[in-house]
Amino acid sequence: MRTPSVLVALATLFGAVHAVTTNGFADQNGGMKGGAGGKSVTVSTGKQLHQALCERSSKTTPITIYVSGTITLGNTEKVSGSGCSTASDRIELKGIKNVSIIGKGKAIFDQIGIHVRESSNIILQNLHVRNVKKSNGATSNGGDAIGMEKSVSNIWVDHCTLEASGGESDGYDGLLDMKAGTKYVTVSYTIFKNSGRGGLVGSSDSDTGNGPVTFHHNLYSNIDSRAPLLRGATAHAYNNYYNKINKSGLNPRVGGKVRVEKNYFKNAKNPLGTFYTDKMGYWEVIDNIFDSVSWTSSDHPAGPNVKSTTSVSIPYSYKADSASCVPSIVGSTAGADNGMKVSDGSCSASPPSSPPSTPPSQPSPPSQPSPPSSPSSPSSPPSSPPSSPPSSGSGDNLSRKSGSGSDGSSKASGTSYGDVRDGSLSSYWSPKGSTGHIRIKWDSSKTVGSVVIREASGYEGRIQSWRLQDEDDNTVKSGTGLAGAITFTPRSMKKVKFAILSASGTPRVAEFETYASSSSSASSPQSPPAPSPPAPSPPSSSSCSNPTGKWGNCLQTKCCGDAGWTCYGANQWYAQCRTECNVNGWDCNRLG
């Protein structure tokens, strides 16, 4: 099965003008391309996002916009131009086509909604939209996190988190509302949480010209109702996890119909039926699990003896997971900033580093060469610790300076964030599980040019792949193993995050050291200075210029490391890095 997140990432990064696969109705009616084939830009404010749209030569010119940071009402302005029609109180996607908006790291839309109107071929991916209100405070987008209306088609909402902090009485409306002719939509790997209303398809009993819509691998958590509400629309809901539905769940009415397939309902009241009206809707039920649910409605609940009342034809191919594994598969894949993993259709989550079964239409790249030999990058802990610490930057360890701090993802019991900057290799931080992140932060900006991650004694080599991210800017490095200092062009930053993407067992980070430059080596925090092991030899300019040999090593370092692009698969990143180097005028025949 093609994994949709992989395909859209490859499409937008490679610039290939081909359809991506969403495993849903957005694949119909001409399919999805988003901004593939167009310019790519990175923005950190709402004004910049609107400017990126407006600076296009036309409203149909393809573009991929990466969002890094927090978008707010305060940094959003109305902008004019040939490629847009914008507003100051929301992110406005009006009268446009061929756009991808993709979160890069944490991309938060705080109290500001996204409005799609009279638009088509739009991808919204890896975005966290929260606390959008229509009253009782700052208002935006009629209280909808994402709203679509009036002649909208072929929209893909993927790996997003949509949340509120209450219901209508608190000033919130729907998390995802579609109305007035919104057609061919796929909503996948998205979290809906803490809201009175999950969303609707059709705003009134007369607004029945919407759909079809696919909802798959989504999490509905602590939702009162509308999960979703369907007025006259057709929908396909498969592999969703409904946990804590407080009043009613899927609610087809006024002739609406839905195929409800291999979902898992837990702690849900009235998970399926026609509610709050006698204008009936219909459902087809296939292999769902109802766990600790109750049927209390006096309207038209589907249960407790749940049976199909219609059949729904599905025109696209898909592979559904067994309902029994839905809580775990959705928990490990859904939501923004959660690794962009997807299901393989067999109850396993696949990271986006896995290439799709059918790659984009590009010349076949050469096989990925093996990287230069490294002093130590084992897949499992060595039997004894290395004789000397990894090489380090020169000068003082900025992580231990006054005004520094540390935090991160959930930590294992008995470990501490502060232990990564206490100067001792006997104390450490571990994530809960094999992946997670740890961050160093400062009260004021520091110039950083190198980082040393020291694993605890006896646990060296557990960290297999990692990403280092300047959270004020973007990813600065990524790689495998920890053979030495992680160096880059010195830059000013207030936060730097080290993310462990894969490890053999639970890793232990003893020290997260930061330095202004990388011109010499520093000692272990526990011992006097010792000679550092020789750094691995970089590929020569001749090997970098060999398109059938080791050119990939040069490109991976220069393009995917320094520039912060994410690359997908053992072979697929090659052509992308080559393309981006050429587009940006970099010389990829030598190391940066």
Side-chain angles (χ1 to χ4, degrees):
M1 182 183 74
R2 294 187 183 184
T3 50
S5 298
V6 174
L7 283 171
V8 71
L10 285 167
T12 54
L13 289 177
F14 274 62
V17 186
H18 69 282
V20 298
T21 302
T22 74
N23 293 330
F25 279 112
D27 298 336
Q28 306 300 299
N29 190 42
M32 291 293 304
K33 301 182 183 72
K39 176 182 176 182
S40 297
V41 299
T42 299
V43 304
S44 58
T45 70
K47 179 180 179 181
Q48 291 172 353
L49 195 159
H50 282 159
Q51 285 175 330
L53 291 171
C54 293
E55 289 170 359
R56 298 181 299 160
S57 59
S58 75
K59 291 185 177 182
T60 63
T61 302
I63 188 171
T64 296
I65 302 173
Y66 293 99
V67 179
S68 177
T70 302
I71 308 295
T72 66
L73 287 165
N75 63 34
T76 299
E77 297 180 17
K78 181 177 180 178
V79 179
S80 299
S82 58
C84 68
S85 178
T86 67
S88 60
D89 64 344
R90 59 191 178 272
I91 298 302
E92 184 72 85
L93 310 179
K94 180 179 179 181
I96 62 175
K97 296 181 179 180
N98 311 325
V99 173
S100 297
I101 300 178
I102 302 174
K104 189 176 185 179
K106 286 187 181 297
I108 298 173
F109 291 70
D110 188 28
Q111 295 184 286
I112 184 168
I114 300 172
H115 187 231
V116 185
R117 181 183 176 95
E118 298 170 340
S119 297
S120 63
N121 191 29
I122 308 292
I123 295 172
L124 304 175
Q125 190 176 53
N126 200 34
L127 309 176
H128 185 169
V129 188
R130 67 188 185 193
N131 294 332
V132 181
K133 286 190 168 186
K134 63 180 180 179
S135 61
N136 295 342
T139 61
S140 174
N141 204 33
D144 295 339
I146 298 177
M148 308 178 195
E149 64 177 312
K150 194 175 181 182
S151 302
V152 170
S153 69
N154 295 90
I155 310 294
W156 186 22
V157 179
D158 178 63
H159 280 93
C160 291
T161 297
L162 310 178
E163 68 171 310
S165 297
E168 188 174 21
S169 62
D170 302 300
Y172 302 97
D173 196 5
L175 294 177
L176 178 55
D177 282 2
M178 304 174 228
K179 58 188 180 181
T182 296
K183 301 176 180 292
Y184 299 104
V185 177
T186 299
V187 183
S188 57
Y189 300 99
T190 289
I191 294 175
F192 299 78
K193 67 178 181 178
N194 301 332
S195 178
R197 296 171 171 175
L200 57 77
V201 184
S203 61
S204 69
D205 287 354
S206 61
D207 182 20
T208 56
N210 302 283
V213 183
T214 301
F215 299 88
H216 73 86
H217 293 94
N218 302 300
L219 169 63
Y220 290 82
S221 177
N222 192 28
I223 300 293
D224 285 348
S225 63
R226 301 187 179 183
L229 166 61
L230 305 167
R231 290 183 170 106
T234 296
H236 183 198
Y238 72 92
N239 285 160
N240 300 293
Y241 182 29
Y242 302 87
N243 186 16
K244 200 173 186 297
I245 303 300
N246 302 319
K247 296 180 181 178
S248 62
L250 291 102
N251 184 1
R253 59 165 83 165
V254 199
K257 57 184 180 178
V258 55
R259 177 187 282 193
V260 184
E261 183 176 5
K262 296 185 178 179
N263 301 282
Y264 197 108
F265 299 87
K266 184 177 179 64
N267 300 324
K269 291 184 179 179
N270 306 307
L272 173 64
T274 295
F275 306 108
Y276 320 116
T277 182
D278 291 327
K279 297 178 180 179
M280 290 298 298
Y282 309 97
W283 45 87
E284 180 182 16
V285 288
I286 303 173
D287 297 336
N288 300 283
I289 292 178
F290 297 92
D291 179 5
S292 301
V293 305
S294 59
W295 305 91
T296 61
S297 173
S298 59
D299 293 320
H300 308 281
N305 184 21
V306 182
K307 295 182 178 179
S308 296
T309 61
T310 190
S311 62
V312 180
S313 176
I314 304 300
Y316 50 84
S317 61
Y318 64 101
K319 186 178 179 182
D321 295 294
S322 169
S324 62
C325 72
V326 163
S328 61
I329 197 71
V330 170
S332 63
T333 57
D337 196 32
N338 191 27
M340 294 288 290
K341 292 178 287 187
V342 296
S343 168
D344 64 358
S346 301
C347 294
S348 295
S350 302
S353 57
S354 301
S357 57
T358 305
S361 301
Q362 285 281 349
S364 299
S367 299
Q368 169 74 354
S370 300
S373 60
S374 166
S376 175
S377 57
S379 59
S380 58
S383 57
S384 60
S387 58
S388 59
S391 60
S392 166
S394 61
D396 294 331
N397 177 6
L398 301 176
S399 301
R400 302 192 66 195
K401 288 288 189 180
S402 176
S404 65
S406 50
D407 60 16
S409 60
S410 297
K411 60 183 184 292
S413 177
T415 71
S416 170
Y417 304 123
D419 287 342
V420 302
R421 53 186 183 87
D422 65 356
S424 171
L425 292 181
S426 62
S427 59
Y428 56 88
W429 164 86
S430 284
K432 275 190 174 180
S434 60
T435 62
H437 69 264
I438 184 74
R439 177 167 38 216
I440 297 293
K441 55 187 179 180
W442 298 274
D443 291 339
S444 58
S445 296
K446 304 293 181 186
T447 298
V448 180
S450 68
V451 164
V452 174
I453 302 296
R454 300 186 188 272
E455 298 179 88
S457 179
Y459 289 79
E460 298 89 350
R462 286 206 171 189
I463 296 174
Q464 296 176 337
S465 62
W466 50 266
R467 181 173 62 239
L468 187 72
Q469 181 176 354
D470 169 5
E471 291 203 321
D472 298 324
D473 185 2
N474 53 45
T475 300
V476 294
K477 282 285 183 179
S478 60
T480 57
L482 292 171
I486 304 168
T487 62
F488 45 91
T489 303
R491 63 183 70 198
S492 179
M493 62 180 74
K494 293 182 71 175
K495 295 179 182 179
V496 58
K497 179 171 74 173
F498 180 78
I500 301 169
L501 305 181
S502 64
S504 57
T506 301
R508 294 184 177 184
V509 176
E511 290 295 296
F512 185 162
E513 301 173 3
T514 53
Y515 298 90
S517 63
S518 55
S519 58
S520 64
S521 63
S523 65
S524 164
Q526 285 187 320
S527 59
S532 299
S537 299
S540 65
S541 59
S542 60
S543 66
C544 275
S545 62
N546 177 6
T548 60
K550 296 182 179 179
W551 195 18
N553 294 323
C554 165
L555 292 170
Q556 189 176 38
T557 299
K558 181 63 183 175
C559 302
C560 299
D562 290 348
W565 285 307
T566 302
C567 296
Y568 294 84
N571 298 324
Q572 297 303 324
W573 63 263
Y574 172 86
Q576 167 59 16
C577 287
R578 179 183 60 189
T579 299
E580 294 293 350
C581 279
N582 292 337
V583 168
N584 287 278
W586 294 331
D587 181 2
C588 281
N589 293 322
R590 59 183 174 83
L591 289 175

